[in-house]
Amino acid sequence: MHPLDVVKTRFQIQRGKTDPTSYKSLGDSFRTIFQTEGLFGFYKGILPPILAETPKRAVKFFTFEQYKKLLGYFALSPALAFAVAGLGSGLTEAVVVNPFEVVKVGLQANRDAFAEQPSAFAKARQIIQANGFGLQGLNKGLPATLGRHGVFNMVYFGFYFNVKNIIPVNKDPALEFLRKFGIGLVSGTIASIINIPFDVAKSRIQGPQPVPGEIKYRTCFKTMATVCKEEGFLALYKGLVPKIMRLGPGGAVMLLVYEYAYGWFQEHW
């Protein structure tokens, strides 16, 4: 799935057709990256997600359950409780993953050959030495990351659990698996469509600026407004196709693993 993430980031940081490095299509992006950067070009920035993946998923699902329990003390409908718990889990998750995202985007934006780019640790050290750990350094773009993860998880969990409770359970294990997979696939797809403007803003803020030494993209909503004004409304949806290709089925698998693992622990522990 990582090659799709690299392509998504490349689309999001390119500034329209006037950008000399812009890709013409999804196929053109894969072909160009392979020809100019080699096969390993699709795996730039892969170490930060690997390091962050386990704590990220643990935080996502653990905090979702905790927020859900906490919301039980309030007079909220189950439908709203799922969405609010998802929002809370996404905001918490964003705080954990943002430093890794800053390093990852910086590496993915680099178009040098894979062997010529710095390692993830060297990139992180470079960011810290230049700008520290704050909102200009290793936590650059945190508000956009909060928006991206908060909105995604709100829709992702809210849609999945609400729709799953509406569609009848199937007694056939195979059909029940497909029912959950289908709902998870739609959940991940819808969440990706709704949250991608935050993703584009995040990539612009964390990625290279148009003019070296000048910061054009500073804050989340101002970046969205700038992109929309200069490149059109649809520019806020750059990278949507590779994002859906990754998070549609990926989101479905993640929810299924969570559901079956949670059920097993409840039954045996």
Side-chain angles (χ1 to χ4, degrees), residues 229-251:
K229 180 181 177 181
E230 295 182 353
E231 302 168 40
F233 179 74
L234 291 180
L236 294 174
Y237 292 84
K238 286 183 175 181
L240 180 60
V241 173
K243 183 181 177 78
I244 289 176
M245 290 172 67
R246 186 171 69 92
L247 291 179

Side-chain angles (χ1 to χ4, degrees), residues 1-268:
M1 293 292 189
H2 191 75
L4 290 169
D5 193 46
V6 171
V7 170
K8 180 211 73 170
T9 301
R10 294 287 179 87
F11 271 109
Q12 290 178 341
I13 61 177
Q14 68 185 25
R15 300 176 301 282
K17 295 179 181 178
T18 56
D19 189 337
T21 62
S22 66
Y23 301 115
K24 298 179 180 66
S25 64
L26 187 63
D28 179 57
S29 66
F30 276 98
R31 185 167 51 252
T32 303
I33 291 171
F34 181 75
Q35 290 174 348
T36 60
E37 302 169 49
L39 180 62
F40 288 114
F42 293 110
Y43 293 91
K44 287 181 173 179
I46 193 171
L47 184 58
I50 288 175
L51 295 175
E53 196 63 26
T54 300
K56 172 184 173 180
R57 301 307 175 198
V59 167
K60 176 194 286 283
F61 290 106
F62 175 76
T63 56
F64 173 70
E65 289 297 330
Q66 300 312 306
Y67 287 126
K68 199 167 62 171
K69 290 177 184 176
L70 181 63
L71 291 168
Y73 294 104
F74 299 90
L76 296 178
S77 67
L80 183 58
F82 284 128
V84 174
L87 174 63
S89 74
L91 295 175
T92 309
E93 177 188 38
V95 174
V96 175
V97 304
N98 193 67
F100 296 93
E101 287 290 321
V102 172
V103 176
K104 184 197 76 171
V105 170
L107 293 171
Q108 289 179 338
N110 188 326
R111 299 198 179 203
D112 294 335
F114 186 85
E116 296 174 6
Q117 76 166 185
S119 68
F121 293 108
K123 184 68 177 177
R125 187 164 55 247
Q126 177 187 341
I127 293 169
I128 294 168
Q129 288 175 346
N131 297 299
F133 291 91
L135 294 178
Q136 297 301 317
L138 208 56
N139 271 295
K140 187 195 302 183
L142 178 59
T145 306
L146 288 167
R148 185 181 80 156
H149 287 262
V151 170
F152 184 91
N153 283 5
M154 179 178 67
V155 177
Y156 181 62
F157 284 116
F159 183 91
Y160 179 79
F161 286 102
N162 282 299
V163 173
K164 187 170 74 77
N165 290 340
I166 294 171
I167 299 176
V169 175
N170 202 300
K171 294 181 180 179
D172 186 323
L175 292 177
E176 176 61 10
F177 177 88
L178 289 175
R179 179 183 79 99
K180 291 180 177 178
F181 183 86
I183 299 170
L185 178 66
V186 175
S187 300
T189 300
I190 293 175
S192 296
I193 293 170
I194 293 175
N195 90 323
I196 195 167
F198 290 98
D199 202 1
V200 171
K202 171 188 162 299
S203 294
R204 293 292 179 98
I205 294 168
Q206 295 177 344
Q209 300 294 309
V211 179
E214 294 182 16
I215 300 178
K216 179 177 183 178
Y217 305 113
R218 290 181 180 273
T219 62
C220 179
F221 291 106
K222 189 175 180 182
T223 297
M224 287 186 195
T226 301
V227 170
C228 189
K229 180 181 177 181
E230 295 182 353
E231 302 168 40
F233 179 74
L234 291 180
L236 294 174
Y237 292 84
K238 286 183 175 181
L240 180 60
V241 173
K243 183 181 177 78
I244 289 176
M245 290 172 67
R246 186 171 69 92
L247 291 179
V253 170
M254 189 164 55
L255 278 170
L256 283 172
V257 171
Y258 164 71
E259 281 253 60
Y260 286 109
Y262 187 75
W264 187 89
F265 280 116
Q266 281 193 317
E267 184 179 342
H268 294 88

